[in-house]
Amino acid sequence: MKSEEILTVEQRLNYTFKDKKLLIRALTRKAFAQEQKQQGKSCEDQEVYRILGDAVLKAILVEMLIQQGYDSRESITNKKSDLEKRENLGKMFEGMGIAPFIRFGIGERKQGISSQSSVLGETFEALVAAVHIDARDYEKTKKFVVDLFNKPVLESSKNRASEQSSGLDEISKIWMLTRACDNCFQVDVCATMRMCYFDITGDD
């Protein structure tokens, strides 16, 4: 990868890697690595990172859900399963604008695999692992993941709130807030209900 491409990915992730090779490996599919090896080039793929990233992501999501008030094994397990589906991770990953930088094999691109949400979700897991290895700090990794999950929630709430006119009365404002949150696919893990309310009403 070119240095400017690495910089772009880091900016979109809001994380700067000390070891850029970790980022490159997380973005490298097995098919691409095999093609490089056939040409006599050394290249490591993301597969083992996906295993680590999946495990780290599970731990962070469970902790996040507990902090959000989920207090039973069943509720935590069910919600975690929804959040960690590779299709959902892939959609979030695609919204970050990093998908074009994934190094796919020629065959994968021809088959259209490069656009599948589940495949993008695998790279999301690999990136979590790369950050975890690079940071060598669970709390930094957790902040990285939580920020990514919260960003679309915050932006969605603020965008919807900005569409409201200043003449709305208190009841209308609360109704608009409720509608905005109901349309948010992450409302159950969103801690911004009061924050959104303050954004709309100006109360503190």
Side-chain angles (χ1 to χ4, degrees):
M1 289 181 67
K2 298 178 180 179
S3 57
E4 56 266 28
E5 293 177 328
I6 293 175
L7 178 60
T8 298
V9 173
E10 289 180 327
Q11 290 174 338
R12 294 179 183 180
L13 287 174
N14 195 30
Y15 181 86
T16 301
F17 282 84
K18 294 184 286 291
D19 185 349
K20 311 299 183 185
K21 292 180 181 178
L22 297 175
L23 171 59
I24 295 173
R25 182 173 182 177
L27 294 172
T28 302
R29 298 278 297 175
K30 185 176 182 178
F32 179 92
Q34 289 178 333
E35 290 171 1
Q36 296 300 302
K37 291 175 182 177
Q38 289 172 359
Q39 299 175 27
K41 300 177 182 178
S42 176
C43 187
E44 295 181 304
D45 64 72
Q46 62 177 213
E47 286 217 333
V48 294
Y49 279 16
R50 281 157 40 187
I51 298 172
L52 174 60
D54 178 59
V56 173
L57 185 61
K58 279 180 167 60
I60 293 173
L61 289 178
V62 169
E63 184 176 352
M64 185 172 73
L65 291 173
I66 291 174
Q67 291 174 347
Q68 294 298 330
Y70 287 78
D71 57 2
S72 72
R73 181 187 182 92
E74 182 179 5
S75 63
I76 291 174
T77 300
N78 290 340
K79 191 59 189 179
K80 178 178 67 66
S81 296
D82 288 338
L83 291 174
E84 67 181 356
K85 286 180 180 177
R86 282 179 173 164
E87 290 77 7
N88 292 337
L89 296 179
K91 290 176 182 177
M92 185 166 65
F93 182 87
E94 188 173 12
M96 294 159 59
I98 300 175
F101 298 96
I102 300 176
R103 306 204 294 177
F104 287 99
I106 296 175
E108 289 182 312
R109 292 190 180 280
K110 288 181 178 179
Q111 296 171 21
I113 291 177
S114 59
S115 61
Q116 293 180 8
S117 293
S118 59
V119 173
L120 299 181
E122 293 174 347
T123 299
F124 181 91
E125 293 172 342
L127 280 171
V128 170
V131 170
H132 186 62
I133 295 171
D134 189 70
R136 297 186 178 183
D137 186 323
Y138 174 78
E139 290 302 319
K140 289 182 179 179
T141 306
K142 183 174 74 172
K143 182 180 185 305
F144 169 77
V145 171
V146 172
D147 285 349
L148 290 180
F149 271 86
N150 283 340
K151 185 177 180 180
V153 176
L154 291 171
E155 290 181 348
S156 174
S157 299
K158 289 181 179 179
N159 288 340
R160 292 176 185 274
S162 66
E163 295 174 356
Q164 302 171 56
S165 68
S166 58
L168 290 174
D169 59 26
E170 190 74 4
I171 295 177
S172 297
K173 291 174 183 177
I174 295 174
W175 179 82
M176 288 294 288
L177 167 65
T178 304
R179 187 178 69 172
C181 288
D182 281 346
N183 287 336
C184 175
F185 77 95
Q186 288 178 318
V187 63
D188 289 338
V189 295
C190 176
T192 63
M193 176 73 78
R194 284 172 55 80
M195 187 185 304
C196 296
Y197 176 80
F198 294 156
D199 287 343
I200 295 172
T201 64
D203 291 344
D204 52 34

